[in-house]
């Protein structure tokens, strides 16, 4: 078969038209699972195989590294053996800009060997900047305003994503500057200077600097415009202002942009993405050939029907879609209601165990959740049942900083000579225990051949007994007295066999929870997955494990029961060490693992069976720390959350389980009423009475015990 025919044979008529259309600017707006990504990939194959473009003339932009990787795989799977893919640029906006900047570092005013900072690096970098003597006043003011390095980093990123350098931001916002913005603007130029001096580039800078490079350097801009004849962009609804600007700069007279997107799946508004870019595109790049796809190949009719009813409740939509499933009816959607969140976790794990026993491949099963914290209990339950799983993106629960911090306190309680644990938390929460004091402490411990904790104890005792102790020692003792007392109290509890949850409660109440509550409040922009929520989950895990230990205690190698706290700590260590390596996303092992994703990170993916955990009031829609006050803003947020629920539901091909708990746990308020997400009611309300029974099966917790 000739390449043209073989390329088109696996597509429907609408898709074929889009793939084989004459070269022009094109926009495909279509619902989930209609084959947008398939069309985009086929279009690349068409351009290379039929239009005979060289690979280097094609630029494909996707939203995540994973999607970029998948796209390359799909192109390779088309087996275009006559086509050489070398030179094809395919990646995320960030990776593509990094590539431009490496190639044109000198023109961009960068050192070609620049390093890229992630948001954690950025936070530390800002922290260091604030410690410099010249910034002493600013540091004091920032502290007084409770403006953390993380928050400063977020505000700088925000400015950059709007394309604004310090002076421009000051000019643009001058009468509307918040005190936080004002302070940040003072540091912004220093931050930039220091980034340049140390050859560091943050994420937002990658894109901003590339945009500036091509804005000001006409020669280089023309070069790119001549090179890339076709620019293809997946998930276009999630582009922000700066990314849109970059695309505009890269497009030349003779080149085209091929964009695919779905306004109903725009879920990054909180990061500046604007689905109205779809409409803007039609105007700015006119004439644009517009295509629609209405056949859904992914989901059964029932799943699609529920998704359509849900998204139909949104008002801010660009297109009204009439998606039809090609699959026909399948099973009904299961709505699983549980009493408490941990019942939900064990219920889901139990269902998964049964599905696997019935022959379903683990990798075709995914559990999706709104917030990372929700994965903790599910991980634990899967682990208990020896069901291998893979948590996509982010860290696994037990490897998260706040969780590791809390665990380090417990490790110290059991073994005060654990220097690693001590170093981790000696200054968390901050006790004024900086590098200078630490090196004094290290010197004392080394000189006497004792642990850091013993050294601390000796310093505190010495200072107490000697009023004339050197100032340095007195200061050290003063800073560490509370800490030494806490560890002693914890240790005493361990000696009498206290349960892990009691120890954890002591640690949380001694300041760790308050500390992370502050971190959460200040970082709120990035953290819809609060660290306090993770600590609460850890406490709940400890309680559950304790209860289990009562029934079936864990034994050591000699068959003696381990103390509950030691059992808890070894469980936590095990949870950490079963993590896949960063590159372990392929191979047999990976195929045998159930997938755990946040809904955001599952965008564009699909699975035979999807469990949405926490389809629950308070979580979907997520009720954040501070609700926006204005009604219009509130509605906007609600609609984005509804789109998020739509993304979750439309990941399922054949089986969908919507799960919720009647009660959710919060450290401060204990058990609180949760119940089904209002989005479930949206769907149910839109259904006729008779339809309800054909679309849903409702199961109560009792069915799972
Ligand atoms: P999303 O909006 O979630 O990103 P999408 O519109 O990009 O979805 P794809 O992921 O491209 O959709 O396709 C969904 C599924 O349907 C895939 O498994 C794809 O292989 C399949 N599919 C798409 N078009 C066809 C077709 N014409 N025939 C058979 N299967 C198809
Ligand atoms: Mg897609």
């Amino acid at each position: 078969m000739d390449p043209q025919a073989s390329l088109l044979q696996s597509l429907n008529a609408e898709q074929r038209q889009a793939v084989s259309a004459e070269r022009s600017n094109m926009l495909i707006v279509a619902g989930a699972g209609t084959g947008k990504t398939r069309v985009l990939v086929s279009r690349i194959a068409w351009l290379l195989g039929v239009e005979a473009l060289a690979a280097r003339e094609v630029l494909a932009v996707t939203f995540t590294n994973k999607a970029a990787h998948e796209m390359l795989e799909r192109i390779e799977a088309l087996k275009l053996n006559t086509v050489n893919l070398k030179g094809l640029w395919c990646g995320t906006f960030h990776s593509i800009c990094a590539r431009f900047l490496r190639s044109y570092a000198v023109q961009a005013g960068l050192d070609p060997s620049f390093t890229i900072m992630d948001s954690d690096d950025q936070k530390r970098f800002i922290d260091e900047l604030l410690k410099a003597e010249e910034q002493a006043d600013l540091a004091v003011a920032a502290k007084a305003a409770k403006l953390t390095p993380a928050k400063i980093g977020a505000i700088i990123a925000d400015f950059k994503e709007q394309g604004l350098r310090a002076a421009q931001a000051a000019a643009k916002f001058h009468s509307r500057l918040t005190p936080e913005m004002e302070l940040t603007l003072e540091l912004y130029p220093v931050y930039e200077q220091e980034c340049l001096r140390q050859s560091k580039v943050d994420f937002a800078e990658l894109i901003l600097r590339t945009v500036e490079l091509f804005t000001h350097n006409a020669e280089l801009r023309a070069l790119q415009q001549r090179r890339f004849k076709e620019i293809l962009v997946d998930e276009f609804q999630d582009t922000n202002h700066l990314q849109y600007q970059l695309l505009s700069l890269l497009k030349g007279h003779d080149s085209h942009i091929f964009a695919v997107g779905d306004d109903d799946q725009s879920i990054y508004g909180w990061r500046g993405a604007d689905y109205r870019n779809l409409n803007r595109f039609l105007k700015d790049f006119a004439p644009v050939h517009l295509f629609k796809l209405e056949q859904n190949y992914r989901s059964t009719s029932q799943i699609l029907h529920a998704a359509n009813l849900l998204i139909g409740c949104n008002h801010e939509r660009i297109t009204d879609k009439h998606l039809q499933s090609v699959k026909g009816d399948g099973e009904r959607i299961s709505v699983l209601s549980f009493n408490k969140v941990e019942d939900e976790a064990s219920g889901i794990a139990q269902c998964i165990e049964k599905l696997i026993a019935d022959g379903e491949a683990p990798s075709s099963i995914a559990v999706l959740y709104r917030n990372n914290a929700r994965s903790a209990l599910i991980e634990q339950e899967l682990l208990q049942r020896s069901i291998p799983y893979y948590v996509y993106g982010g860290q696994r629960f037990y490897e998260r900083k706040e969780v590791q911090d809390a665990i380090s306190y417990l490790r110290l309680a059991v073994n005060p000579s654990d220097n690693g644990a001590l170093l981790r938390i000696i200054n968390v929460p901050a006790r004024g225990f900086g590098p200078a004091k630490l090196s004094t402490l290290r010197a004392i411990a080394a000189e006497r051949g004792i642990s850091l904790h013993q050294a601390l104890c000796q310093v505190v005792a010495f200072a107490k007994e000697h009023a004339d102790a050197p100032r340095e020692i007195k200061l050290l003792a003063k800073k560490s007295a509370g800490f030494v007392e806490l560890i002693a109290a914890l240790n005493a509890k361990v000696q009498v066999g206290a349960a892990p949850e009691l120890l954890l409660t002591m640690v949380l109440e001694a300041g760790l929870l308050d500390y992370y509550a502050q971190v959460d409040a200040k970082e709120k922009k990035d953290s819809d997955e609060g660290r306090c929520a993770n600590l609460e989950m850890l406490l709940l895990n400890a309680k559950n494990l304790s209860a289990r230990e009562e029934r079936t205690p864990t034994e050591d190698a000699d068959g003696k029961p381990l103390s509950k706290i030691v059992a808890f700590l070894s469980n936590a260590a095990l949870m950490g060490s079963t993590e896949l390596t960063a590159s372990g996303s392929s191979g047999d092992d990976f195929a045998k693992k159930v997938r755990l994703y946040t809904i955001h990170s599952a965008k564009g993916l699909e699975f035979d069976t999807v469990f949405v955990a926490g389809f629950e009031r308070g979580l979907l829609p997520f009720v954040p720390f501070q609700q926006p006050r204005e009604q219009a803003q509130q509605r906007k947020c609600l609609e984005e959350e509804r789109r998020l629920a739509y993304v979750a539901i439309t990941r399922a091909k054949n089986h969908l389980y919507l799960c919720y708990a009647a009660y959710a746990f919060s450290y401060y308020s204990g058990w609180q009423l949760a119940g089904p997400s209002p989005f479930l009611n949206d769907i149910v309300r839109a259904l006729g009475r008779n339809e309800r029974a054909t679309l849903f099966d409702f199961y109560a917790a009792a069915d799972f015990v």
Side-chain angles (χ1 to χ4, degrees), residues 91-120:
T92 61
F93 275 106
H94 287 123
S95 73
I96 281 166
C97 286
R99 227 164 142 173
F100 278 129
L101 293 179
R102 291 258 183 247
S103 313
Y104 306 119
V106 178
Q107 293 90 329
L110 288 174
D111 174 345
S113 59
F114 64 85
T115 52
I116 300 171
M117 288 193 281
D118 67 15
S119 49
D120 253 6

Side-chain angles (χ1 to χ4, degrees), residues 33 35-38 74 234-235 260 298 604-605 651:
K36 292 184 298 299
T37 304
R38 181 186 266 220
R74 285 202 195 183
D234 200 1
E235 309 271 3
V260 307
R298 179 179 294 147
L605 305 181
R651 297 310 95 201

Side-chain angles (χ1 to χ4, degrees), residues 210-272:
T210 309
V211 165
E212 288 174 344
L213 172 71
F214 292 141
T215 304
H216 300 126
N217 192 324
E219 213 176 306
L220 278 183
R221 182 173 68 239
L223 197 68
Q224 306 319 310
Q225 292 181 349
R226 279 199 301 276
R227 170 179 174 169
F228 295 115
K229 302 277 191 309
E230 293 287 337
I231 301 168
L232 302 96
V233 190
D234 200 1
E235 309 271 3
F236 193 80
Q237 76 281 355
D238 276 324
T239 49
N240 66 21
H241 169 76
L242 202 60
Q243 292 161 339
Y244 188 86
Q245 213 179 333
L246 176 69
L247 292 171
S248 312
L249 285 165
L250 290 175
K251 195 201 119 28
H253 287 305
D254 303 321
S255 56
H256 310 105
I257 298 184
F258 179 101
V260 307
D262 178 6
D263 47 313
D264 289 332
Q265 294 186 68
S266 165
I267 54 176
Y268 281 94
W270 53 281
R271 246 169 37 186

Side-chain angles (χ1 to χ4, degrees), residues 21 33 36 51 74 83 105 117 162 165 188 190 259-260 290 316 344 363 423 491 511 552 600 615 655 669:
K36 292 184 298 299
E51 295 276 345
R74 285 202 195 183
V83 173
M117 288 193 281
Q162 297 177 59
R165 296 287 178 196
Y188 192 1
V190 182
V260 307
L290 182 66
E316 292 183 356
E344 181 200 66
S363 60
L423 284 172
N491 188 250
T552 45
H600 279 101
F615 202 77
H655 314 288
S669 27

